[in-house]
Structure formats: structure tokens, C-alpha cells
Amino acid sequence: MEENQNLDDLAEESAELPKVESQEDLARIIQALVFASPDIVTLKKLREILGDFLDARLVSDALIAANDSLNKINSPFEIVEQAGGSGSNVCVTAYAL
């Protein structure tokens, strides 16, 4: 219950987030949410936090950009997509390489 509360708190604070103006902005925001969250971050939760404009394709593209930036700094982490059946169930998590 407490883990869901953390993501719910992020959703409530989403009005304070800067507007997403580029794929790089989206990549940085998703990367921060994934690393800050104790839970897997679902597309549904990303939409609650960032807005309904998100779809699975935008998230996939942002994950590629986020991983590119992690690779540039030789990070031991990678962000991965885990499909849960349909595109609306896409979720992301990070793991150590």
C-alpha cells in the first residue's frame, strides 16, 4: 500500500512538473521516475503523472534515449520495458547490468 502511495504522491505533484517539450525531456523524466519509484512504473501511472498524450511508442522512444544517456556515462543500469499483454500495460524498471 505504501509503495502505491509514493507513486500517487508523484501523480499529485505532476502539476508542478515542467512541461514536456522534447523527447529528451520525456526521457529524463521517465528515467527519474523509474529510479525514484520503489515499484515498476506502468504506462498508466506515467499517463497519470505526465498526461494522456503518452502512448507506448513515445515511452519506447524515450527509453531508448534514456538508455543512450546512461550508456554515455557508463552507468551500470539499464531501463527495460516489460510488456504485460497489450500496449497499455507496458511498464518499465531498471536493473544493474
Side-chain angles (χ1 to χ4, degrees), residues 62-82:
L63 292 179
I64 291 169
N67 280 320
D68 286 347
S69 70
L70 290 172
N71 288 333
K72 285 179 186 174
I73 61 168
N74 296 317
S75 172
F77 296 100
E78 181 178 33
I79 301 173
V80 296
E81 244 180 292
Q82 300 175 340

Side-chain angles (χ1 to χ4, degrees), residues 4-25:
N4 286 337
Q5 184 63 36
N6 291 336
L7 285 176
D8 291 338
D9 290 343
L10 287 172
E12 289 175 14
E13 296 171 6
S14 65
E16 300 172 14
L17 290 175
K19 187 172 184 171
V20 177
E21 296 181 355
S22 68
Q23 183 181 31
E24 291 79 22
D25 288 345

Side-chain angles (χ1 to χ4, degrees), residues 15-78:
E16 300 172 14
L17 290 175
K19 187 172 184 171
V20 177
E21 296 181 355
S22 68
Q23 183 181 31
E24 291 79 22
D25 288 345
L26 182 59
R28 282 190 289 271
I29 291 168
I30 290 175
Q31 184 178 10
L33 290 171
V34 168
F35 283 109
S37 175
D39 299 321
I40 291 174
V41 179
T42 63
L43 179 57
K44 178 181 177 187
K45 186 53 70 176
L46 288 171
R47 283 182 172 163
E48 288 174 15
I49 294 169
L50 298 173
D52 288 335
F53 70 93
L54 284 178
D55 62 22
R57 184 72 212 154
L58 279 174
V59 171
S60 291
D61 291 346
L63 292 179
I64 291 169
N67 280 320
D68 286 347
S69 70
L70 290 172
N71 288 333
K72 285 179 186 174
I73 61 168
N74 296 317
S75 172
F77 296 100
E78 181 178 33

